[in-house]
Amino acid sequence: MQTPSLELKGSSFTLSVLHINNDDMAVIAAELDAKLAIAPQFFIGAPLVVNLSAIQTEDFDILGLKEILTSRHLIVVGITSASAALTKQAKSIGLAAVKSGKEAISQPQLPKTTKIVKQNVRSGQQIYAKNADLIIIGAVGNGAEVIADGSIHIYGTLRGKAMAGAAGDRNTVIMAQKIEAELVSIAGQYWLTENLQQNGAAPSGCIRLEGETLTVESLPL
Amino acid sequence: MAQIIVVTSGKGGVGKTTSSAAIATGLAMKGHKTVVIDFDIGLRNLDLIMGCERRVVYDFVNVINGEANLNQALIKDKRTPKLFVLPASQTRDKDALTKEGVGKVLEDLAKDFEYIICDSPAGIETGAMMALYFADVAIVTTNPEVSSVRDSDRILGMLQSKSKRAEDGLEPVKEYLLLTRYSPARVTTGEMLSVQDVEEILAIPLIGVIPESQAVLKASNSGVPVIIDQESDAGMAYSDAVERLLGEELPFRFLKEEKKGFLKRIFGS
């Protein structure tokens, strides 16, 4: 059988991405020259994808940008994260609009469930609620750990460690009838006992993330 | 059907062996045929507390290894009828205990005895795990101080996950709290956790509070279980604990600081 004269195959390449944060061509050109001067050989003939996420102006001159890059021996293969108007403009001058791997393969969202534990969590025990909220009906002892990708609710005293939003969900909370915790953490931001005391932890409360810091507020009981 | 009771704590030196000896003696005094087994292989103590150290010929490990039969190894207590001691081996280590071996011995004892008391070694290694594995009831011996309470909490976790009852999905092991070396005076001054503190943290029913007492050391040294000394507060408190174990409801004694009399205040106690 004759070998076909062309074949289409999928393959992935690593490309450098140039982030443009300014729409002033002169500034871009100057900063680019400064960067290239550090390692001129490295960039010659390098294929580039231009990230335009920071450019809001619709009449941004992509062709002009392409000329600046080409004149410095850089090869623009496409643009990414651009507004609709800029994407259209790029297509008209023969540039591809590409999506980065992270955007293209969006994480399939697993349905969130709830894990319920109807006993005290003793010292040395560890409970992890993967992709779920965690409800403990009982106390969490010193030296015990309760971890959840979602929120944690404790109907008892929290004396051990509680880590909510273990997979990075910043909108999770830790609620406990009584907080005497060794450590509380939400999406990686944590407080130790002393931080809790400094922040006047309420006898019963809800701990959540506000911006980059944890806050604790009492529950109306 | 025999009941297997483990006396455990996690932490050492809290009074497991003293309590095992007292509770076993108490049950036998109530007319129940009882055997108390020393699981502390290599650090045998129970025989001393029971005052039968000179009569040990064969031990628990000999029976497990088939080098002796149960009747040869069991020591009949001289004071209390219906009470027997199965001593530990002093020359071996905890690895001599196997699940199969221990299971077989307990099965054989269960045919003959009403209560089997397992005196657990400290720690959470093989010896302690073997002692609690077959238990129906656990008496968690705890001193009113934070490290002992935390270790007890750890052992309670083990009972919930590592015991035979947990593995077979049966009704969980019945857990009771036995608070030992309790000193009401030091609770008042804030040096010691109170009964309420410990109960709140461990959240299991209280079966007894044994006051700190000179009588305990005296009894241990003379090889007489402290429960025999019914003049002492510790002896009486152990009697109460045994009654509660048998299902009686009794008020707790020795929780309040004793008011010292005028003369005592001057001359000390």
Side-chain angles (χ1 to χ4, degrees), chain A residues 6 34 65 77 128 134 145 166 207 214:
Chain A
L6 53 86
L65 177 69
V77 294
Y128 174 41
L134 180 57
E145 286 181 19
I207 294 156
L214 296 176

Side-chain angles (χ1 to χ4, degrees), chain A residues 7 20 26 32 47-48 64 71 73 82 85 89 107 116 125 130 137 149 152-153 163 199 202:
Chain A
E7 270 181 283
I20 305 292
L32 191 62
L48 276 184
S71 67
H73 306 288
Q89 195 197 134
Q107 285 278 332
I116 303 174
Q125 291 183 320
K130 189 172 169 55
I137 301 171
D149 287 345
I152 300 175
H153 304 250
M163 287 159 253
N199 290 281

Side-chain angles (χ1 to χ4, degrees), chain A residues 79-162:
Chain A
I79 58 143
T80 187
S81 304
S83 65
L86 290 179
T87 305
K88 202 173 160 193
Q89 195 197 134
K91 277 182 183 166
S92 70
I93 58 169
L95 289 176
V98 294
K99 278 184 176 170
S100 76
K102 276 181 209 154
E103 284 175 74
I105 312 156
S106 63
Q107 285 278 332
Q109 275 281 286
L110 289 168
K112 223 183 217 182
T113 56
T114 305
K115 180 170 182 162
I116 303 174
V117 176
K118 283 185 186 166
Q119 62 180 33
N120 290 327
V121 185
R122 303 286 183 183
S123 183
Q125 291 183 320
Q126 191 184 57
I127 291 180
Y128 174 41
K130 189 172 169 55
N131 252 310
D133 287 341
L134 180 57
I135 295 181
I136 312 274
I137 301 171
V140 177
N142 280 110
E145 286 181 19
V146 289
I147 307 165
D149 287 345
S151 297
I152 300 175
H153 304 250
I154 299 161
Y155 295 90
T157 308
L158 169 60
R159 297 190 183 89
K161 299 182 183 175

